[in-house]
Amino acid sequence: MEKIDFLLSKLEETVMVVGGIIMVAMNFLNVVCRYLLPKTPFSYTEELVVLVFMWVSMFGISYAYRRGAHTLLTILSDLIKGRGRILIVLFSMAASMLLMALTAYTGWGMVMNQIKFSQILPGMRIPMAYMGWSVPLGAAAAFVSVLVSSCKEINEIRSGTK
């Protein structure tokens, strides 16, 4: 389980760092070219930034869950001690996992429709599914992250370290 956690964490970090670099570079290049070379056809940069933003956002959700930076009904969990706190964590885990499962399911359907109807991004002329895959894959990663972080939190509560 720790190896999967480590690999998924590295994947999330890589997607976010590389994605952030690409977004900053493309936006900078777009602005520079817009003012220095106004007739340069650079329409694909906006699509590329949105595509990368989708991947960074979806894997950022998973990363936030893994780091415990998500909303976990902390007001209630800070007020309640012992087994009641574990129940709040379990409820939050179940609700978050349900949300991620529904997001992955609907994202899968979206991607299948994008493939079925051969949708493309007009500026870059690539399949829209390249952007769409971020939703089910990011939600699946977040599903695992919710489970891992909730189990860690429950273990901390049981051991008395939290």
Side-chain angles (χ1 to χ4, degrees), residues 102-146:
L102 289 171
T103 302
Y105 177 77
T106 56
W108 176 265
M110 177 187 70
V111 170
M112 292 301 105
N113 279 332
Q114 290 170 340
I115 292 169
K116 178 180 176 181
F117 295 112
S118 302
Q119 293 177 327
I120 62 165
L121 293 167
M124 296 193 315
R125 302 272 185 230
I126 62 171
M128 196 174 276
Y130 291 167
M131 184 186 315
W133 277 113
S134 65
V135 176
L137 295 177
F143 185 93
V144 172
S145 294
V146 168

Side-chain angles (χ1 to χ4, degrees), residues 17-123:
V17 169
V18 171
I21 291 168
I22 290 170
M23 287 189 297
V24 168
M26 284 292 111
N27 277 326
F28 177 76
L29 189 60
N30 192 13
V31 170
V32 168
C33 287
R34 184 179 300 146
Y35 289 105
L36 297 180
L37 308 165
K39 297 196 186 238
T40 304
F42 236 34
S43 63
Y44 71 89
T45 57
E46 290 178 31
E47 284 182 354
L48 180 61
V49 169
V50 171
L51 183 148
V52 173
F53 181 76
M54 286 291 298
W55 283 93
V56 169
S57 296
M58 291 306 298
F59 279 88
I61 292 168
S62 179
Y63 185 81
Y65 272 115
R66 186 175 310 288
R67 299 290 174 256
H70 56 85
T71 55
L72 186 63
L73 305 172
T74 54
I75 295 172
L76 288 175
S77 67
D78 290 345
L79 292 174
I80 299 172
K81 303 294 181 206
R83 294 197 186 276
R85 193 172 194 178
I86 290 174
L87 290 174
I88 290 171
V89 171
L90 287 172
F91 172 77
S92 178
M93 178 184 74
S96 296
M97 289 175 74
L98 177 63
L99 175 64
M100 290 303 117
L102 289 171
T103 302
Y105 177 77
T106 56
W108 176 265
M110 177 187 70
V111 170
M112 292 301 105
N113 279 332
Q114 290 170 340
I115 292 169
K116 178 180 176 181
F117 295 112
S118 302
Q119 293 177 327
I120 62 165
L121 293 167

